[in-house]
Amino acid sequence: MQAIVFRQGRQVAVETLPDPEPGPGEVLIAVRASGICHTDIEILRGNYGASAFPLVPGHEYAGEVVALGADVDGFSVGDLVVVDPNIGCGDCPGCRAGRVNLCENLGAYGVTRNGGFAELCVVRSDALVRTTGMDPALAALAEPMGCVLNGLSPLAGRRIDRALVFGAGPIGMLMGIALRQRGAEVTMVDLDEPRLAMASEFGLGALAQGSTELDRLRRACDLAVDATGVPAVAAGLPEYAANGGNVLYFGVCPVGGADRDLSL
């Protein structure tokens, strides 16, 4: 099979690898769609994960079941599925509480084990969700949308009429869509005109960073979200929260500040 491989930090190649075979409790899937996350870039830079090189990255992916290992129930060849990349140890307090995301020994497909930037991938059957009738390109967004919904979960039950989201990239757009679904009037803020145009196409408000209209939203929002990871934007986020409002720091600011070397 063909795969994208991180040979070591800052070294990436397209290689031919042996086709993997599923073991007991595992499923072999043919990858149909895989998203590119900024985390993948940080893994390549050596800033995230266990530096488990060589590694096939990709943790936002969906595909089709093509083979079953022993002791697999609930799936059949031909099923369309999406992958939950988190791999818990099953023994730590987080896992025992059913909060695998807090696993003290957390692994992940595309981070510590080969993931979705390949034609084929072996995945534990308990990490798969069937997506019958869903376009795999849409199903591959399940992982980032899951992150967005988890980020919003502490705000459950709080009234959010007006929300402001800085950053109209993929994650910011998913955040805006999720907030609109819960009834908020959402305004996206970005420097990139095509991104703002896409926000408008999705029926969201769109403002350019530094615009006069944006100044009018200071102290006026029930929720202000940073989805940029830009330290200056994150630092100014509370200025837009109304009295009693909330701020959500969802973007990941660089360790060491904006001057850190981000080259590949």
Side-chain angles (χ1 to χ4, degrees):
M1 69 173 185
Q2 293 291 105
I4 294 174
V5 180
F6 291 172
R7 296 303 309 168
Q8 58 184 357
R10 301 175 185 263
Q11 290 190 13
V12 59
V14 176
E15 299 186 5
T16 299
L17 301 179
D19 291 354
E21 297 184 3
E26 295 179 331
V27 172
L28 179 66
I29 67 170
V31 178
R32 301 304 186 206
S34 188
I36 299 175
C37 177
H38 192 83
T39 298
D40 298 315
I41 299 174
E42 293 302 319
I43 293 169
L44 181 58
R45 291 170 175 158
N47 296 327
Y48 185 86
S51 297
F53 304 121
L55 172 74
V56 176
H59 57 274
E60 304 173 0
Y61 61 110
E64 179 182 346
V65 174
V66 293
L68 304 174
D71 304 321
V72 172
D73 294 319
F75 293 98
S76 302
V77 171
D79 284 346
L80 295 178
V81 292
V82 66
V83 177
D84 178 351
N86 292 326
I87 306 170
C89 69
D91 295 324
C92 72
C95 286
R96 291 198 299 270
R99 306 179 71 183
V100 176
N101 61 307
L102 299 180
C103 175
E104 295 176 2
N105 307 290
L106 185 65
Y109 294 106
V111 182
T112 61
R113 298 189 192 181
N114 286 346
F117 286 5
E119 293 178 296
L120 298 168
C121 183
V122 166
V123 181
R124 288 184 351 191
S125 62
D126 60 1
L128 296 175
V129 177
R130 191 179 288 103
T131 60
T132 304
M134 183 180 292
D135 185 335
L138 180 60
L141 293 174
E143 192 276 343
M145 179 56 90
C147 294
V148 165
L149 296 178
N150 185 58
L152 291 173
S153 61
L155 299 171
R158 298 190 186 186
R159 181 168 178 171
I160 302 175
D161 293 325
R162 175 178 287 176
L164 187 65
V165 180
F166 287 87
I171 289 294
M173 286 293 296
L174 291 174
M175 181 71 70
I177 291 168
L179 285 166
R180 184 181 61 187
Q181 284 297 107
R182 57 180 290 174
E185 177 187 335
V186 182
T187 301
M188 308 296 299
V189 182
D190 208 293
L191 292 170
D192 189 84
E193 289 297 332
R195 286 184 171 185
L196 292 176
M198 178 176 288
S200 297
E201 291 174 4
F202 273 82
L204 303 172
L207 290 177
Q209 178 74 40
S211 65
T212 302
E213 293 85 351
L214 180 58
D215 286 337
R216 297 194 184 104
L217 293 179
R218 294 182 185 274
R219 306 296 183 189
C221 300
D222 301 304
L223 176 65
V225 182
D226 172 56
T228 69
V230 176
V233 175
L237 202 61
E239 297 178 16
Y240 295 90
N243 188 21
N246 297 275
V247 297
L248 174 58
Y249 293 98
F250 201 77
V252 181
C253 293
V255 176
D259 295 332
R260 183 169 63 85
D261 178 20
L262 298 181
S263 63
L264 293 179

